[in-house]
Amino acid sequence: MSRISSEQVKHVANLARLAITEEEAEKFTKQLDAIITFAEQLNELDTENVKPTYHVLDMKNVLREDIPQKGLPREEVLKNAPVHKDGQIKVPSILGE
């Protein structure tokens, strides 16, 4: 017995503004039924003693250590800025008034 009907597939396609043919609706019905069947099989697994994971690979922090360093002098930075005022770089406003 199919867990999803062709009418449900057509309804979802309509909500998504997708035009599908009758053949496509039947094809998607079978494919979605297979996906639902597989998901139901996963629900049958005993995961009682399985620790939750956030990533499938055992990864450690791969970032370099954050070491503070002295930056460029303000005058050096501002000489490359097309427009600056009061020691700050001026940029175009992105918010309306």
Side-chain angles (χ1 to χ4, degrees), residues 13-31:
N14 182 51
L15 291 175
R17 303 290 191 254
L18 299 173
I20 61 173
T21 64
E22 195 65 40
E23 293 79 24
E24 289 172 325
E26 290 301 320
K27 175 183 171 185
F28 296 146
T29 301
K30 290 176 186 171
Q31 290 176 344

Side-chain angles (χ1 to χ4, degrees), residues 63-89:
L63 301 175
R64 65 171 169 75
E65 188 171 337
D66 192 9
I67 302 170
Q69 297 177 353
K70 187 162 178 65
L72 293 172
R74 183 175 297 199
E75 298 77 28
E76 186 77 18
V77 173
L78 291 178
K79 80 175 187 179
N80 292 316
V83 182
H84 57 87
K85 180 180 177 184
D86 300 326
Q88 296 185 4
I89 299 172

Side-chain angles (χ1 to χ4, degrees), residues 36-81:
I36 293 168
T37 300
F38 182 72
E40 288 174 346
Q41 288 175 352
L42 293 176
N43 287 334
E44 294 172 7
L45 292 174
D46 179 18
T47 58
E48 184 72 28
N49 296 317
V50 178
K51 292 194 295 189
T53 59
Y54 62 93
H55 200 286
V56 295
L57 301 176
D58 186 26
M59 297 183 72
K60 303 280 186 232
N61 187 357
V62 295
L63 301 175
R64 65 171 169 75
E65 188 171 337
D66 192 9
I67 302 170
Q69 297 177 353
K70 187 162 178 65
L72 293 172
R74 183 175 297 199
E75 298 77 28
E76 186 77 18
V77 173
L78 291 178
K79 80 175 187 179
N80 292 316

